[in-house]
Amino acid sequence: MAFGPDGRLYVAQFLAGQISAVDLATGDVEVVVPPDGPLHSPDDLAFDTDGAMYVTDLVPGRVWRRDPAGNFTLVTDAITAPNGIACVGTRVFANEMIPGGRLLELPVAGGEPTVLTAGLAMGNAMQLGPDGQLYYPHMLTGEVFRIPLDGGEPELVAADVPDPVAVRFDRGGALLVLSLGETGTVTRVDLTGTGDRSAIVSELNALDNAAFDAENRMFVSSYAHGGVAELAADGRTRQIVPRGLGGPFGVTIDLGGGVHVADHYRLAQPADQLSGRTGDDVATTELLNFVHGVAADGDLLHTTSQYGDVRTYDRRSGTARTRARGLDRPLGIAVRADGTLLVAESGAGRVVAIDHDDQVSVLAEGLGRPIDVAVDAGQRCYVSDEQLAAVYRVEDGVPALLADGLGTPQGITVHDGIVYVVETTHRRLLAIDLATNDVEIEADSLPVMSPAGREPGLFVVPGLPGMPRPFAGIAATADGSLVIAANGDGGVLLVHPEETAP
């Protein structure tokens, strides 16, 4: 986040692939760089003294310049996982969010980047300090360093800082370091006197970035919850842009009717389902990185990660157990009555089963790009395949075709003899009658996102945040209503088939 020449707060939205400007007086949000522009995964931004905006595009490894007229030019693509960016006059600096990353001055007028220093333990948001040096965090080691603008030996400024994700200075020159963990901590370091520290602790956890306005008010963002809030020195907060969902992706319903969504950096629920929670539309159940698919099983929530993991989160104990590693882009997940997990392993073109002992076996293979799985009352498995544009039922280990010619089918669920599938190309909900194989349009104009033109790149370094693949999940309630992850507008839909059927 950074204030622009017009006084508005500009915010890079990594998951949405866009940049918005916030009027802090009214809370109005304007999309100034839409997701169909040149940016793939904007992570941080800064303005130079000429009013040009510079943006780090993390996943493809690019830095862009947007001039005041709105025109984009590529500054460099000779950088890996660019994250933090800072402007000093018309000079531009960026760092890499990888182990052993670099801090670079970028070639605004052409040429090769200049390396100021290397060996960063994952860099992130940085800023020029009042002493004319760049301050930046090492996320992995909990340290903050500074370095002269022309390079030299980095100097350790602070150690043992909890999960530092952003370094910022207020208008009085005080150093504040945001923590990305669950405690909502901002550490204030006295650089001019004794070096004493104090902490601002708020309920705004998973912090990501901050900016100070001309009145020295601090505004912060969260990578997990979204939104923008004002954070006071005593920890009090005032929400400017409401929190919301970054996806959502997978969705499931527990035995009590509670809705749970997989939202990339967390598991979440509609807040009105949690007693005592008010003021937000969405409440975080658990910060759990890179969750994509989710299936409820009593007090357990089984999840998939695009990085190959399948995990089980126990809501009673608050603990997570890894069930499988190294799968090739697992997405949708379902659970049989005996507790066996079924997973759509999209990168391998197959469906796998994970038993109680965490043994992985192949249930069906020879698919194109399976996206989601579902189980009917007879414990038979159904799978949607967006590459083959079809829906299958697995019979004796073989995919048997139920319907084809579909437009990028994704989320799938079964209820009372009907297979429901979200067809994202045409933004429709389809109903496949298992007795007749008839396909009906149950609802249309759904706010879901098609993956067309948004094929994400994934990092080979484990644990780094590649772009999640669009995934519009669906689940059925006990009474046959349907809950859909509306990843096109960051919402969750409730659909009653009897009210929408032709």
Side-chain angles (χ1 to χ4, degrees):
M1 303 195 301
F3 282 95
D6 59 2
R8 294 187 298 174
L9 183 63
Y10 286 71
V11 182
Q13 294 166 258
F14 176 80
L15 293 180
Q18 66 186 32
I19 292 176
S20 297
V22 181
D23 185 326
L24 294 176
T26 64
D28 292 340
V29 178
E30 178 190 356
V31 176
V32 294
V33 181
D36 59 356
L39 302 176
H40 186 85
S41 51
D43 196 272
D44 200 2
L45 56 86
F47 288 88
D48 70 9
T49 51
D50 290 340
M53 179 171 67
Y54 290 83
V55 185
T56 51
D57 201 355
L58 193 149
V59 174
R62 302 178 186 130
V63 176
W64 296 89
R65 180 183 188 270
R66 180 181 184 267
D67 68 23
N71 302 308
F72 276 91
T73 55
L74 181 65
V75 176
T76 184
D77 58 4
I79 189 168
T80 301
N83 191 319
I85 192 164
C87 292
V88 181
T90 56
R91 298 174 69 181
V92 181
F93 302 85
N95 62 40
E96 296 177 316
M97 196 182 69
I98 55 173
R102 301 170 297 170
L103 173 57
L104 308 166
E105 181 170 5
L106 302 182
V108 176
E112 294 296 318
T114 300
V115 179
L116 272 66
T117 187
L120 274 66
M122 296 185 67
N124 210 303
M126 60 183 182
Q127 192 172 8
L128 181 72
D131 58 0
Q133 299 191 71
L134 275 178
Y135 287 69
Y136 58 93
H138 280 204
M139 295 173 65
L140 293 181
T141 60
E143 298 170 312
V144 174
F145 287 84
R146 63 185 172 192
I147 192 170
L149 295 180
D150 293 323
E153 187 67 24
E155 179 186 355
L156 178 65
V157 175
D160 300 320
V161 182
D163 303 314
V165 68
V167 173
R168 290 291 180 251
F169 287 89
D170 68 10
R171 296 290 176 172
L175 171 64
L176 294 106
V177 186
L178 281 71
S179 297
L180 57 78
E182 297 188 16
T183 58
T185 300
V186 177
T187 301
R188 187 181 189 277
V189 182
D190 181 1
L191 293 177
T192 60
T194 62
D196 289 346
R197 302 185 188 185
S198 59
I200 302 171
V201 180
S202 79
E203 52 104 21
L204 296 175
N205 62 5
L207 296 173
D208 186 64
N209 214 316
F212 289 86
D213 69 4
E215 300 175 4
N216 206 31
R217 296 181 300 173
M218 184 180 188
F219 298 90
V220 298
S221 64
S222 165
Y223 67 85
H225 312 298
V228 174
E230 181 181 354
L231 176 59
D234 60 2
R236 290 178 301 163
T237 61
R238 180 173 67 93
Q239 205 68 31
I240 306 298
V241 178
R243 305 183 209 181
L245 293 165
F249 303 104
V251 61
T252 191
I253 300 167
D254 63 30
L255 290 176
V259 177
H260 303 265
V261 295
D263 200 37
H264 192 59
Y265 295 115
R266 61 174 176 163
L267 292 170
Q269 284 189 270
D272 58 7
Q273 294 188 347
L274 300 179
S275 60
R277 294 299 297 263
T278 60
D280 294 315
D281 293 332
V282 181
T284 298
T285 305
E286 179 72 12
L287 293 179
L288 196 64
N289 278 343
F290 314 137
V291 287
H292 215 63
V294 61
D297 179 16
D299 287 320
L300 304 177
L301 294 175
H302 306 290
T303 68
T304 63
S305 161
Q306 63 177 340
Y307 292 100
D309 295 345
V310 177
R311 291 170 286 184
T312 294
Y313 173 71
D314 189 326
R315 290 189 286 156
R316 292 171 300 179
S317 65
T319 60
R321 165 189 167 198
T322 299
R323 308 295 300 276
R325 296 184 187 276
L327 298 182
D328 191 349
R329 299 183 69 179
L331 293 179
I333 186 170
V335 57
R336 283 179 169 162
D338 64 359
T340 300
L341 307 182
L342 305 181
V343 179
E345 192 180 3
S346 66
R350 63 185 189 176
V351 177
V352 298
I354 304 173
D355 66 15
H356 283 282
D357 297 323
D358 299 341
Q359 297 299 305
V360 180
S361 59
V362 177
L363 184 68
E365 53 190 346
L367 296 160
R369 188 164 57 243
I371 297 299
D372 200 10
V373 287
V375 176
D376 67 10
Q379 304 306 297
R380 295 178 297 182
C381 175
Y382 298 79
V383 56
S384 60
D385 191 317
E386 67 176 22
Q387 180 176 311
L388 300 180
V391 171
Y392 300 88
R393 180 170 56 218
V394 177
E395 298 179 355
D396 298 323
V398 178
L401 182 67
L402 289 183
D404 59 2
L406 308 181
T408 321
Q410 291 191 347
I412 187 172
T413 192
V414 188
H415 182 81
D416 197 21
I418 303 293
V419 175
Y420 296 97
V421 61
V422 180
E423 188 188 29
T424 59
T425 294
H426 305 300
R427 299 170 59 205
R428 301 186 299 198
L429 173 63
L430 303 181
I432 305 171
D433 191 317
L434 291 175
T436 64
N437 281 351
D438 290 341
V439 180
E440 301 285 349
I441 299 173
E442 196 69 51
D444 57 16
S445 301
L446 298 176
V448 295
M449 181 186 300
S450 171
R454 295 281 294 171
E455 180 63 32
L458 293 179
F459 287 116
V460 296
V461 180
L464 292 183
M467 287 295 292
R469 184 174 179 80
F471 173 39
I474 186 173
T477 67
D479 67 1
S481 298
L482 302 169
V483 177
I484 299 173
N487 57 5
D489 69 358
V492 178
L493 301 180
L494 180 63
V495 177
H496 303 285
E498 70 276 7
E499 299 175 4
T500 60

